[in-house]
Amino acid sequence: MEEVYHIPAMLEPTLDGLNIQPGGVYVDVTFGGGGHSRAIMQRLGMEGHLYSFDQDIEAYQNRIDDKRWTFVHSNFRYLDNWLDYYGIDQVDGILADLGVSFHHFDCVERGFSFRFAAPLDMRLNQQQGRTAADLLAATDEESLARVLYLYGELKNGRKLAGRICRACQNRPIRTTDQLVSVVLNGGETPEPLPTGTPIDVQPAQKKDLARLFQALRIELNDEMGALRELLIASRDRLRPGGRIAVLTYHSLEDRLVKNFLRAGNIEGEIEKDFYGNIVSPFRLLEKGRVADQEEVARNPRSRSAKLRVAERN
Ligand SMILES: C[S@@+](CC[C@H](N)C(=O)[O-])C[C@H]1O[C@@H](n2cnc3c(N)ncnc32)[C@H](O)[C@@H]1O
């Protein structure tokens, strides 16, 4: 069966939120399978243009053959630089559908999934040098515990970090199966299994493993740092009346987006005018919408998505 690269979450509400102007300039900073980008293109007129970013070159296999479309192979943290490069001062809309696509989980050898043995890679940009295995080799227990707690919300993050760091002292953890074994059973790093071997995990263990893998991925790819830079660039580059739509998948990134759109700054510090009214560069339109039951039944991976939309004042 042909692999489905990705199924976009909340496609219609996201597109409605962006309120596409036929002649407008739009940026989809997370192209992935191109589902959202294609829907934007359908609403654009002949004078409009869409720039789609993805730091993973594999997304380019989903390219759109249309002269109103430009692919930018880059981390979206460089949005400002790229808009300068293309001579664009302000844009009409920015879409960010954060995190990873189905493709990343389904592509076993990229190491994002705890379901199959594979090198512990997890790089979104495969031209980046450091892998998740390198991260584990270089970290210390305290820093790792913090990452697991912050980005995975793992209450037992300290215990897991202890197991990982102790195992790494004798033999580095280089594969997903070695990591799963050390985390679940403690003890020494075992021999790696051949890539593609299914990993035996009990249903009750899946949630914590998903959180552990998520935490390492976020740290390795500096996802929170990139998001902060994107939000600041979006505020500065949206024209008045322009829209930003963000789909988040875990509470930490959602909190950052929520506070930023409310206050207009990373710290989430609300400014008030003389009369006590909130002064913000944004007007909130969608405040954390989730997928409806019908969509979750059709696309279970949409269940953790939250949509926030705001208009630039
Ligand atoms: C959830 S998927 C987007 C799916 C897309 N909306 C669709 O309809 O298929 C997220 C995509 O964003 C990319 N990505 C994640 N963080 C990025 C970043 N900081 N810069 C550029 N691309 C990024 C990932 O490689 C992935 O392809």
Side-chain angles (χ1 to χ4, degrees):
M1 208 173 71
E2 210 182 309
E3 185 216 322
V4 176
Y5 199 97
H6 190 75
I7 301 175
M10 284 185 270
L11 187 61
E12 284 303 316
T14 305
L15 266 283
D16 290 347
L18 282 171
N19 188 28
I20 305 292
Q21 304 301 305
V25 174
Y26 289 85
V27 188
D28 174 358
V29 296
T30 50
F31 179 62
H36 281 113
S37 277
R38 281 175 196 277
I40 293 173
M41 293 297 290
Q42 278 168 8
R43 297 189 188 195
L44 271 185
M46 288 316 291
E47 304 305 317
H49 203 93
L50 173 64
Y51 294 85
S52 298
F53 282 61
D54 207 298
Q55 62 176 327
D56 185 351
I57 194 61
E58 286 185 1
Y60 188 62
Q61 65 185 259
N62 307 309
R63 61 189 166 274
I64 303 172
D65 182 18
D66 192 309
K67 55 180 192 318
R68 299 168 302 158
W69 184 75
T70 303
F71 182 70
V72 185
H73 175 215
S74 167
N75 194 306
F76 58 56
R77 71 190 324 155
Y78 305 118
L79 176 65
D80 246 343
N81 309 43
W82 282 103
L83 291 180
D84 283 347
Y85 175 78
Y86 285 112
I88 298 163
D89 189 22
Q90 291 190 307
V91 300
D92 296 274
I94 294 172
L95 163 65
D97 179 13
L98 299 169
V100 287
S101 64
F102 295 6
H103 172 76
H104 291 114
F105 289 121
D106 297 340
C107 196
V108 168
E109 60 277 14
R110 302 228 11 210
F112 287 100
S113 167
F114 60 83
R115 293 178 299 135
F116 297 96
L120 193 59
D121 187 320
M122 293 198 191
R123 287 169 302 166
L124 279 174
N125 173 3
Q126 289 170 285
Q127 286 158 2
Q128 168 189 318
R130 197 170 73 134
T131 66
D134 299 331
L135 185 154
L136 289 188
T139 193
D140 59 78
E141 192 173 324
E142 191 61 35
S143 319
L144 184 59
R146 204 169 151 266
V147 165
L148 300 189
Y149 183 75
L150 273 181
Y151 299 158
E153 293 172 82
L154 282 159
K155 296 206 174 60
N156 56 349
R158 189 162 290 280
K159 181 174 125 193
L160 301 186
R163 284 185 175 182
I164 292 170
C165 289
R166 276 194 300 279
C168 283
Q169 276 168 6
N170 294 327
R171 180 184 199 179
I173 293 175
R174 304 295 312 171
T175 63
T176 54
D177 47 295
Q178 288 176 317
L179 177 60
V180 170
S181 168
V182 165
V183 161
L184 294 183
N185 313 320
E188 307 227 319
T189 308
E191 279 294 317
L193 298 171
T195 297
T197 309
I199 303 177
D200 192 20
V201 172
Q202 302 302 312
Q205 297 167 326
K206 284 187 182 168
K207 198 169 169 197
D208 274 4
L209 285 175
R211 288 171 170 226
L212 169 77
F213 273 61
Q214 171 187 287
L216 292 180
R217 191 201 85 211
I218 293 173
E219 171 68 6
L220 178 72
N221 295 289
D222 188 22
E223 292 181 30
M224 297 303 292
L227 177 56
R228 279 186 216 107
E229 289 179 38
L230 170 71
L231 290 171
I232 292 168
S234 300
R235 177 193 63 201
D236 299 345
R237 293 297 196 143
L238 274 174
R239 74 171 84 257
R243 302 268 180 100
I244 176 167
V246 188
L247 284 153
T248 65
Y249 293 86
H250 60 87
S251 59
L252 198 67
E253 71 187 5
D254 187 56
R255 205 173 318 137
L256 173 58
V257 174
K258 177 177 147 188
N259 289 337
F260 188 88
L261 294 182
R262 212 171 43 180
N265 57 62
I266 291 296
E267 298 72 31
E269 278 167 17
I270 307 270
E271 247 184 76
K272 293 196 174 163
D273 66 11
F274 181 74
Y275 303 100
N277 302 313
I278 293 178
V279 183
S280 166
F282 296 107
R283 182 167 73 92
L284 301 179
L285 299 170
E286 285 285 4
K287 301 176 185 173
R289 180 178 179 140
V290 294
D292 61 27
Q293 281 181 347
E294 187 270 324
E295 177 169 1
V296 174
R298 193 167 28 86
N299 175 14
R301 288 176 178 174
S302 68
R303 82 183 159 269
S304 46
K306 260 194 190 160
L307 173 64
R308 296 189 182 274
V309 179
E311 185 173 275
R312 186 76 168 89
N313 288 325

